[in-house]
Amino acid sequence: MNLMSTSKPLTALIADDEEGPREQLRTALVRLWPELQIVAASVHGVDAWDDFLEHEPTICFLDIRMPGLTGIEVASRMAATANPPHVVFVTAFGDHALSAFDAGAVDYVMKPVDDARLGQAIARLKARLQTATPSLAAPAAADLQALLKQLLPAAAPAKSRLIQASLGREVKMIAPEDVIYFESDNRYTRVVYEGGEALIRTPLKELLAQLDTEQFWQVHRSVLVNSRHIATALRVDENTMQLTLKGREEKLPVSRQFQGLFKGQ
């Protein structure tokens, strides 16, 4: 299967918290790979993850050092979705991860971005896109996940912060481990915890940067669930999945992008 010949356009996301490098990379990509459509230029890791869920780009250029979520954390989340992108990290000279990237699961370019080096990365991406087949996609994603798992401890800041929720005149301090799930709408995030529930104004995408991703799984754009409280994942039909929770009656939706979390063994 030749992915370059399909009707689906090649799309890319750029993420860098510094405007100068972000625009330099965007300009270089427009010049060196004009057929590539840049669908998002994210200003930090949390926005990069949100933009990825919205646009599902083919390729992601991620700065490693970003506030909120690092590029490695964002890539780790992407690798666990149904359609993981090809990843290129943008990094400063001497970054701890450079030797690991040489393993080949991902590529990297260094700041300031050089046309010759970016051209090499583009050539590698085009070769992967030309040869990728469904049978090869899964091992590639597995290689990426394994690499990122090694890099996460060194790149990720400490997580777990008490959640403060206003309940009348008092401020309730909720430990993350006591939360069963979070559910967001346009204005508030509902926190369902052992003993009750509360509303907070913190958007779900900001909570993602505060919580331990090994414990809290995003299963929908509006739902984060504590994996310790998941009882079953129920496939309703080919495109629909729901979670049941231990000791609770409600069911939580699982969107298509996150159904790969529940493959079974």
Side-chain angles (χ1 to χ4, degrees), residues 186-218:
N186 291 331
R187 296 185 60 195
Y188 296 100
T189 298
R190 179 173 166 236
V191 186
V192 178
Y193 59 95
E194 296 178 7
E197 59 181 74
L199 295 176
I200 59 176
R201 292 184 179 273
T202 308
L204 203 68
K205 66 179 185 177
E206 290 183 20
L207 285 170
L208 281 166
Q210 303 172 15
L211 298 168
D212 180 359
T213 56
E214 292 291 319
Q215 181 178 355
F216 285 91
W217 296 359
Q218 185 166 14

Side-chain angles (χ1 to χ4, degrees), residues 134-157:
S135 63
L136 293 177
D143 289 345
L144 177 57
Q145 285 180 301
L147 170 63
L148 295 171
K149 201 167 213 180
Q150 295 175 20
L151 296 173
L152 274 172

Side-chain angles (χ1 to χ4, degrees), residues 22-198:
R22 188 172 65 245
E23 286 305 303
Q24 182 198 13
L25 177 58
R26 187 191 64 78
T27 302
L29 285 170
V30 168
R31 183 173 63 253
L32 299 175
W33 200 353
E35 63 269 32
L36 184 68
Q37 296 182 21
I38 300 172
V39 294
S42 314
V43 298
H44 50 65
V46 174
D47 276 349
W49 173 241
D50 208 41
D51 289 339
F52 169 75
L53 293 180
E54 179 179 353
H55 299 286
E56 297 189 39
T58 314
I59 301 161
C60 291
F61 293 86
L62 304 174
D63 183 20
I64 290 180
R65 307 291 182 178
M66 292 187 289
L69 292 172
T70 68
I72 292 172
E73 289 176 301
V74 175
S76 183
R77 292 173 185 273
M78 292 173 174
T81 61
N83 294 300
H86 294 269
V87 174
V88 177
F89 284 114
V90 183
T91 180
F93 177 77
D95 195 284
H96 73 284
L98 288 182
S99 60
F101 296 159
D102 288 331
V106 294
D107 204 350
Y108 70 90
V109 294
M110 293 197 307
K111 298 181 185 180
V113 174
D114 173 79
D115 275 9
R117 180 65 184 87
L118 182 58
Q120 289 177 1
I122 290 172
R124 290 175 185 171
L125 285 166
K126 288 182 176 179
R128 289 177 185 173
L129 290 164
Q130 288 280 7
T131 59
T133 65
S135 63
L136 293 177
D143 289 345
L144 177 57
Q145 285 180 301
L147 170 63
L148 295 171
K149 201 167 213 180
Q150 295 175 20
L151 296 173
L152 274 172
K159 302 289 184 180
S160 192
R161 182 187 306 170
L162 286 175
I163 296 155
Q164 300 185 26
S166 297
L167 295 174
R169 293 185 177 182
E170 81 176 7
V171 176
K172 176 76 172 177
M173 310 298 284
I174 306 169
E177 56 267 24
D178 292 335
V179 175
I180 300 170
Y181 65 90
F182 298 91
E183 186 174 31
S184 282
D185 60 22
N186 291 331
R187 296 185 60 195
Y188 296 100
T189 298
R190 179 173 166 236
V191 186
V192 178
Y193 59 95
E194 296 178 7
E197 59 181 74

